[in-house]
Amino acid sequence: MTTDRGAGLQKALFSAAAAILAPLLLFGLAGCSDAPGETAADRAPPNPLLYEIASADGTVEGWMLGTIHALPDDTEWRTPAITQATETADLLVVEIAALDDGKRVAGTFTELSTTPGQLPLDQRLPGDLAAPLTDLLERGEIDRTRFAAVETWAAAITLAQVDATGDPANGVDRALIREFAGRPVRELEGAQAQLAIFDRLPEAQQRTMLAAVVRGSEAARKDPARLQRAWLAGDAATIEQSTREGFLADPALRAALLTDRNRHWAAALTPLLQEGPRPLIAVGTAHLVGPDGLAALLEAQGYRIRRLP
């Protein structure tokens, strides 16, 4: 039994590293199954968030696509506008370019997340979460003692994977990276830098994150397809609401994991958009929406941002 559960943790750790959390757990770990009773015929045509970026005089400077980092097999998400932007863009900009190098990403995850002598998980959580934690560990077939050297942020990420559906191999960012073979692909962060953001969180914030994952696990299981449906439909309101839920309801975590990164990315994208080659910027959808999202930040710099149907 110990061997099986140890294997369960290793699988969960690798899945967490493979999904790499580019969307802050919002769209990499969101459930991706159909709603109860829903069939393919019930779903509206896909319409993920895609924006045209133009200068003040109307010259198109690039495009911006909100991605999701895990999908079920055979999910249809491309639209004519996405296909045209993909074929027209001169280069691709993603959060992490080496997503297909699973061994390297997993190694980075393990290096940053491992520190011997960690407290037992139940001692890193409020007492009222003991039962939900036990249920979550049992569903993942994970022995809690296996977290003895796993830092709290990584434990949160790993446990969030237990109920996640969809396959990171089907992620939109991975598909685009493959489609841009032969054209430049640039990254905004990279695996090391992105995971280091979590690793630098104070322990109190890491525990807030862990508690939110455990506390929200049962609610997420009731409608695992909520965020996937919102992504496919391009439902910006639901997507923005999701950036204010769970651990992102904590102002310090929201700043560190979302809004600060958005501002940093906007500053990095401005000189790129001023160059000749036109980029397709493909990042987690949660980063695009709301007053602190990339669309609003680039618009504030004088760009014309238009959603494409």
Side-chain angles (χ1 to χ4, degrees), residues 26 29-33 68 70 163-166 220 223-229:
L26 295 172
L29 305 184
C32 297
S33 60
I68 189 168
D163 294 320
T165 58
D223 186 6
R226 170 177 171 251
L227 294 182
Q228 187 258 351
R229 292 196 304 272

Side-chain angles (χ1 to χ4, degrees), residues 36-284:
E38 183 182 57
T39 66
D42 297 324
R43 294 192 295 270
N47 190 29
L49 292 178
L50 174 68
Y51 297 95
E52 176 188 88
I53 307 170
S55 58
D57 64 4
T59 302
V60 176
E61 305 291 354
W63 301 266
M64 189 160 52
L65 172 65
T67 65
I68 189 168
H69 303 270
L71 284 170
D73 294 341
D74 302 321
T75 300
E76 295 293 336
W77 56 267
R78 290 175 177 81
T79 65
I82 291 174
T83 298
Q84 183 175 2
T86 301
E87 293 176 349
T88 305
D90 300 304
L91 71 151
L92 176 67
V93 179
V94 292
E95 297 174 45
I96 299 170
L99 283 175
D100 283 330
D101 191 350
K103 184 176 180 180
R104 176 182 174 187
V105 172
T108 300
F109 184 89
T110 300
E111 177 186 355
L112 290 177
S113 67
T114 303
T115 301
Q118 299 293 315
L119 289 173
L121 278 185
D122 54 1
Q123 294 185 29
R124 298 185 239 174
L125 287 167
D128 65 311
L129 293 180
L133 173 63
T134 297
D135 291 343
L136 192 55
L137 291 170
E138 289 181 352
R139 287 200 302 275
E141 298 184 339
I142 301 172
D143 188 330
R144 67 183 67 220
T145 63
R146 298 287 174 166
F147 288 98
V150 177
E151 295 177 17
T152 304
W153 66 269
I157 288 172
T158 303
L159 292 178
Q161 287 288 335
V162 168
D163 294 320
T165 58
D167 188 343
N170 299 327
V172 172
D173 37 10
R174 280 180 169 80
L176 291 172
I177 290 169
R178 290 191 291 267
E179 290 178 24
F180 271 75
R183 285 179 285 174
V185 176
R186 301 186 188 181
E187 61 183 14
L188 288 167
E189 287 179 336
Q192 179 84 26
Q194 190 169 99
L195 288 170
I197 294 171
F198 292 86
D199 193 45
R200 289 194 299 266
L201 292 173
E203 178 64 18
Q205 292 179 19
Q206 294 184 40
R207 293 188 182 188
T208 297
M209 181 177 167
L210 176 63
V213 168
V214 175
R215 185 172 286 115
S217 60
E218 281 299 322
R221 291 179 73 205
K222 293 178 181 178
D223 186 6
R226 170 177 171 251
L227 294 182
Q228 187 258 351
R229 292 196 304 272
W231 176 79
L232 274 175
D235 182 352
T238 297
I239 295 167
E240 182 183 358
Q241 178 59 35
S242 73
T243 71
R244 302 178 187 277
E245 299 172 349
F247 58 80
L248 290 182
D250 180 88
L253 284 173
R254 192 171 192 275
L257 302 179
L258 183 68
T259 57
D260 287 354
R261 294 168 72 203
N262 289 350
R263 284 191 288 271
H264 178 76
W265 292 356
L269 289 170
T270 300
L272 177 64
L273 290 167
Q274 294 171 349
E275 298 173 2
R278 296 188 297 179
L280 172 61
I281 302 161
V283 296

